[in-house]
Amino acid sequence: MQSSSDLFPVALISAERRGDLSEDVYRLKPGNSPDWSVEIAVTRLGMADNSAPRGVPVILLHGSFSNRRFWFSPKGLGLGAYLTRLGFDVWIPEMRGHGLSQRNEEYRRNRVADYARYDLPAIAAFVREQSGQIPHWIGHSLGGITLAAALGGEYLGEPAVASAAFFGTQVSRTYWPLKIPPVEWSGRFILKRFAQLSGSRLKRGPEDEPIGLALESMRWYGLFGRFGDKDKDWWVGLADVQVPVLAVSAAGDHQDPAWACRKLFEQIGSEHKQFINLGREQGFNDNFGHVEMLVSKAAQTQVWPLVARWLNDQQTPLLGEKPDLAAAV
């Protein structure tokens, strides 16, 4: 593999034009994890006919059962395209076995712990090398959980993160049956018979998820579970995070409810942080859902501009001084 990076082998595997945008896809082979077969596809968006220097880099992390198309459709729609047209340097990784990232040899054992410890630091290093700037990070759902794990585990820090935004992200919802050891043991026994969970069969999205993620989350929510791995308590580590943080929940999100998203927000120790709940009671025109908070016509007009404002200025409250709309600490 001829490398376009001094860090580890990287290949440009695709260079396409999507209307007014350019779409360059890189394949990273960092070789920093126990599974040396891991390759990560990272898409970089730009303006096709603009030779001006690129703006501040922004890394977008997709959620479960998803891929890069959550942020950027083939027709040039999505938050990624929106931010690119505003001048940001947009990067969209796809987690192991998702989208253009091939399934690694140990795919069924993939966990958030692997994404956070190995993959996100490699992505951060490559983006910094190519852009010359510290990137902002935005994660939706599982992407946000992975980002929180990387920050809480100190796998990512201020040299690699200018700010962090979490959309529909929580790890505090209680699943009472998993608190009963025999139920948890039975669930693990059944799940271990499978290699993956099918997004299409479960009607959750276009991608599958490795069974390792399900087993890992069962451990988090078990009787003595914690948000972390055997080496580190990520939840405790979040209290030491000092990068600016934006946490966004949706009033109509039953998967990751606002109270649980806020609990994650409150655990983060950053001096500069804001919390927004997208709903009619908070002044928005809609009660947004888990996906609709970022992918909908309403999001285009009500949410995307807030994201752009946050990326330009993490100090000013996005929704004014009203405490019920935004909590700025």
Side-chain angles (χ1 to χ4, degrees):
M1 178 188 291
Q2 183 176 2
S3 181
S4 55
S5 169
D6 293 328
L7 299 169
F8 37 72
V10 175
L12 178 65
I13 60 175
S14 175
E16 301 288 344
R17 181 176 182 130
R18 305 288 184 183
D20 60 332
L21 302 178
S22 62
E23 180 189 53
D24 297 332
V25 181
Y26 296 88
R27 184 175 64 238
L28 282 57
K29 194 173 178 65
N32 63 342
S33 70
D35 184 347
W36 283 72
S37 69
V38 172
E39 296 182 351
I40 306 166
V42 181
T43 298
R44 188 183 196 181
L45 299 182
M47 299 303 298
D49 298 320
N50 190 347
S51 59
R54 296 177 186 256
V56 177
V58 181
I59 299 175
L60 306 178
L61 301 176
H62 64 76
S64 57
F65 303 102
S66 189
N67 54 41
R68 75 190 190 283
R69 292 307 181 198
F70 181 86
W71 303 107
F72 171 64
S73 76
K75 294 183 179 180
L77 301 175
L79 178 61
Y82 172 82
L83 293 176
T84 302
R85 294 185 177 108
L86 290 180
F88 293 99
D89 185 10
V90 174
W91 298 78
I92 310 176
E94 293 177 288
M95 294 299 99
R96 304 176 180 194
H98 293 72
L100 299 176
S101 295
Q102 296 182 359
R103 293 193 177 188
N104 53 305
E105 291 181 2
E106 298 295 326
Y107 168 79
R108 74 184 312 273
R109 294 184 175 89
N110 288 342
R111 305 166 301 155
V112 166
D114 301 312
Y115 303 160
R117 177 176 295 195
Y118 305 115
D119 300 349
L120 263 58
I123 293 164
F126 179 65
V127 171
R128 284 198 66 188
E129 178 193 49
Q130 298 298 309
S131 68
Q133 301 182 70
I134 300 175
H136 298 270
W137 295 71
I138 299 175
H140 175 252
S141 194
L142 184 63
I145 291 175
T146 303
L147 179 57
L151 291 170
E154 297 182 324
Y155 310 124
L156 287 179
E158 292 185 46
V161 182
S163 73
F166 303 92
F167 282 78
T169 301
Q170 62 84 26
V171 291
S172 298
R173 190 175 176 186
T174 301
Y175 299 91
W176 291 112
L178 295 179
K179 302 294 185 183
I180 305 173
V183 175
E184 181 189 1
W185 300 334
S186 299
R188 284 180 171 275
F189 177 78
I190 294 171
L191 287 176
K192 285 181 178 180
R193 300 174 60 189
F194 300 92
Q196 69 222 10
L197 297 175
S198 172
S200 59
R201 288 184 180 179
L202 295 173
K203 298 183 179 179
R204 295 291 301 277
E207 300 282 343
D208 298 336
E209 289 296 341
I211 207 65
L213 286 180
L215 295 172
E216 181 183 43
S217 63
M218 288 184 70
R219 180 176 54 77
W220 294 345
Y221 296 114
L223 182 59
F224 299 109
R226 67 176 188 178
F227 180 55
D229 60 11
K230 64 179 181 179
D231 298 319
K232 289 190 176 183
D233 188 326
W234 306 330
W235 182 261
V236 171
L238 286 172
D240 296 325
V241 172
Q242 292 301 316
V243 300
V245 165
L246 171 66
V248 182
S249 62
D253 187 350
H254 303 293
Q255 175 179 325
D256 297 299
W259 68 265
C261 294
R262 180 153 197 131
K263 193 169 183 179
L264 177 74
F265 164 81
E266 291 173 345
Q267 177 64 15
I268 297 172
S270 176
E271 180 182 356
H272 301 288
K273 60 181 183 178
Q274 300 185 46
F275 182 88
I276 295 174
N277 187 31
L278 303 172
R280 294 189 182 94
E281 291 186 3
Q282 291 72 38
F284 293 91
N285 296 335
D286 300 89
N287 281 333
F288 289 84
H290 186 67
V291 172
E292 292 77 14
M293 66 193 311
L294 285 167
V295 182
S296 65
K297 290 185 178 179
Q300 294 180 34
T301 58
Q302 299 179 63
V303 182
W304 294 1
L306 291 178
V307 175
R309 285 171 54 192
W310 163 259
L311 294 173
N312 284 315
D313 178 10
Q314 294 87 49
Q315 308 300 318
T316 304
L318 292 175
L319 299 178
E321 298 296 335
K322 296 180 180 180
D324 59 327
L325 296 184
V329 180

